[in-house]
Amino acid sequence: MKKVRLAVLGSGPRWLSVDNVYPQHPDVEVVALCDIADGAVEDAAAHFKASMGYEPAVYHSYEELVKNAVYDAIMISVDPDIQVEYAVAEMDRGIHVMTEVPAAYTIDQCYSLVHAVRKNGVKYQLAEQTRYWYFIQQWRAMAEKGEFGKIYYAEGEYLHFEPKWDYFRNKKTGHRVWTDDPSFDKDPDYERTWRYRTFAEPIFYLPHELSPLLSITGGRVETVSCVGTGIGKSYMKEFDVQDMECALMQTDTGVILSLRAGFTCPYGHKRETGAHWYQIKGTEKCAEWARSTLDTPKLFTAGEGWCERNDWVCSDPNAPEEFKRALHGGADYYPMYYFMDAILNDKTPPMDVYRAVESAAPAILAAESARKGGVRLTVPNFRV
Ligand SMILES: NC(=O)c1ccc[n+]([C@@H]2O[C@H](COP(=O)([O-])OP(=O)(O)OC[C@H]3O[C@@H](n4cnc5c(N)ncnc54)[C@H](O)[C@@H]3O)[C@@H](O)[C@H]2O)c1
């Protein structure tokens, strides 16, 4: 069978973390890398050659890539708040597209993605991978068998502090600066990165919570309200960021979701999942991930009480080696596996365009709710 020729737009840290994982797929050939930052794509090509043994062609702008490269599919891993424009342009050219999280930053962008997939009939997938963690698969199987009883509540958090994030980008070279120094803001040679912009409204970054939780509860989020700790009151002095935003959501099936996100204040990590944490409450059972590195995942059963579940882990012990080797507890291989499965076998990927926008739109409206003092907002149904 002919290999799927893959191009990559944006060869930054995310691509570099999967560039020896995704191409392990036997049906993938990475033919082109493209990045606008000085030297980034050359470095990425050398990094790729060192692990995979061959060198893709390199390009320095989207326009140059489109003009010169021939490919069937593209992975887009540029700034997430600008990626939809590229995704739609590529789908309009008949190219299969995988984008990174979050899928979109505006409701209009959500509709653009949906319309592009419907119009062009190409495959689109969001590369959200936490939904493939083994314990999430186990909780999903429990929900499908009705073992939770009626699920009425789910909770998730993404609290990921780094002392120095890449808050700034050099306008000329495109190089990002990992710093805790706010003075770059006053330097005309630098601009704020998408991460800085996102950390002002951290609730935008919820795909790794909404995607796995909704895959267990079923349904889609219908209403949202949210509050935050306030811009300018952060642990990171002189940064226009908020330490936490906290959203309450309700699905069309009545499940309440409590979700929070923050990136700029120290938080304790959890066993295996690092900055992520999850809980599912049903009328019969409650499943809870470890709250720290000291405790274990736990199951509560009415009548029997709590028990520790050491068999709930991130990496599927029965998965093939190429899955187990991947980062994020083995989850990082799944998006490429399902993207190729969709393209080669004409299937709908698990994280299709509807699930993608359903993991983005509630977060977009949560940010808007917080800006409006916590008002409850209604999420459109993109499936109608
Ligand atoms: N799924 C995950 O676990 C995970 C983890 C980290 C990041 N991400 C996502 O991956 C994406 C990229 O993250 P990152 O950390 O690499 O971001 P980054 O900002 O560090 O890197 C983005 C890269 O894209 C390049 N770029 C920007 N605009 C471009 C354009 N128009 N054409 C070509 N190149 C362009 C930049 O020069 C940079 O090298 C984001 O959407 C992020 O949310 C996902």
Side-chain angles (χ1 to χ4, degrees):
M1 191 188 294
K2 234 179 78 191
K3 290 196 178 208
V4 174
R5 294 163 299 185
L6 182 77
V8 176
L9 184 69
S11 63
R14 178 58 187 155
W15 164 249
L16 295 175
S17 75
V18 292
D19 79 341
N20 61 353
V21 175
Y22 284 174
Q24 297 284 338
H25 196 291
D27 298 322
V28 173
E29 182 184 2
V30 179
V31 294
L33 301 177
C34 175
D35 200 293
I36 53 171
D38 283 1
V41 76
E42 285 77 13
D43 290 349
H47 190 260
F48 186 87
K49 191 172 181 196
S51 56
M52 298 308 300
Y54 66 98
E55 210 162 336
V58 296
Y59 301 98
H60 301 91
S61 73
Y62 175 67
E63 293 70 25
E64 195 194 343
L65 172 78
V66 168
K67 195 167 156 209
N68 297 293
V70 178
Y71 51 93
D72 312 296
I74 190 164
M75 174 186 171
I76 299 180
S77 55
V78 299
D79 310 24
D81 51 355
I82 60 163
Q83 66 177 345
V84 170
E85 206 179 310
Y86 296 114
V88 170
E90 288 295 276
M91 285 191 264
D92 285 348
R93 297 189 324 114
I95 304 293
H96 304 294
V97 171
M98 180 157 76
T99 63
E100 261 299 343
V101 297
Y105 269 67
T106 68
I107 297 297
D108 282 350
Q109 287 180 348
C110 293
Y111 277 115
S112 300
L113 275 181
V114 170
H115 291 152
V117 175
R118 282 186 188 161
K119 184 172 90 179
N120 297 302
V122 291
K123 302 301 175 189
Y124 166 82
Q125 184 186 243
L126 182 71
E128 197 295 303
Q129 76 280 38
T130 60
R131 66 190 290 111
Y132 306 113
W133 271 332
Y134 188 51
F135 73 94
I136 295 288
Q137 295 189 44
Q138 288 168 302
W139 291 5
R140 196 154 50 230
M142 284 171 64
E144 278 160 11
K145 286 190 223 140
E147 290 179 19
F148 284 107
K150 181 177 162 30
I151 295 175
Y152 57 88
Y153 180 83
E155 193 171 337
E157 71 178 34
Y158 184 26
L159 300 178
H160 183 172
F161 175 69
E162 299 289 342
K164 294 178 183 185
W165 279 108
D166 52 340
Y167 285 103
F168 302 100
R169 171 153 71 183
N170 185 296
K171 288 181 192 169
K172 226 181 270 160
T173 65
H175 292 161
R176 293 165 304 281
V177 188
W178 293 74
T179 183
D180 55 3
D181 176 1
S183 72
F184 283 93
D185 234 359
K186 298 189 184 87
D187 188 329
D189 289 342
Y190 291 86
E191 61 190 358
R192 294 180 179 185
T193 58
W194 68 267
R195 277 208 174 80
Y196 193 144
R197 294 195 292 278
T198 300
F199 294 174
E201 298 187 297
I203 204 72
F204 265 110
Y205 216 94
L206 275 187
H208 296 315
E209 280 54 51
L210 281 169
S211 162
L213 289 176
L214 287 172
S215 79
I216 296 163
T217 63
R220 63 173 193 87
V221 174
E222 207 168 45
T223 61
V224 175
S225 64
C226 180
V227 291
T229 50
I231 291 177
K233 299 173 187 167
S234 169
Y235 172 84
M236 295 297 294
K237 301 280 171 260
E238 297 176 58
F239 279 84
D240 292 335
V241 295
Q242 299 192 67
D243 287 334
M244 189 193 285
E245 284 187 303
C246 193
L248 278 180
M249 306 186 178
Q250 195 154 29
T251 67
D252 55 350
T253 52
V255 181
I256 295 171
L257 299 174
S258 173
L259 300 159
R260 49 200 170 267
F263 301 90
T264 53
C265 185
Y267 312 97
H269 273 195
K270 289 82 179 166
R271 175 164 139 160
E272 285 199 67
T273 55
H276 300 280
W277 182 80
Y278 309 92
Q279 186 192 61
I280 298 285
K281 281 190 195 297
T283 50
E284 309 269 330
K285 286 184 178 173
C286 167
E288 181 172 301
W289 189 243
R291 285 182 178 266
S292 71
T293 50
L294 302 177
D295 63 339
T296 59
K298 296 170 264 320
L299 173 71
F300 175 82
T301 309
E304 290 168 37
W306 287 103
C307 68
E308 291 186 341
R309 291 294 300 256
N310 285 302
D311 59 316
W312 286 347
V313 290
C314 283
S315 178
D316 178 351
N318 305 312
E321 276 310 307
E322 63 270 29
F323 285 80
K324 282 193 207 161
R325 271 198 302 267
L327 289 180
H328 285 107
D332 271 350
Y333 188 77
Y334 288 82
M336 184 49 75
Y337 172 82
Y338 282 116
F339 191 37
M340 287 305 120
D341 190 37
I343 293 169
L344 295 169
N345 302 313
D346 194 17
K347 289 189 191 164
T348 302
M351 202 59 193
D352 69 354
V353 74
Y354 294 108
R355 289 186 175 141
V357 296
E358 284 166 2
S359 75
I364 293 163
L365 290 168
E368 184 181 333
S369 165
R371 260 175 257 144
K372 292 177 171 166
V375 293
R376 198 167 186 187
L377 298 174
T378 302
V379 183
N381 181 356
F382 297 97
R383 291 174 191 261
V384 292

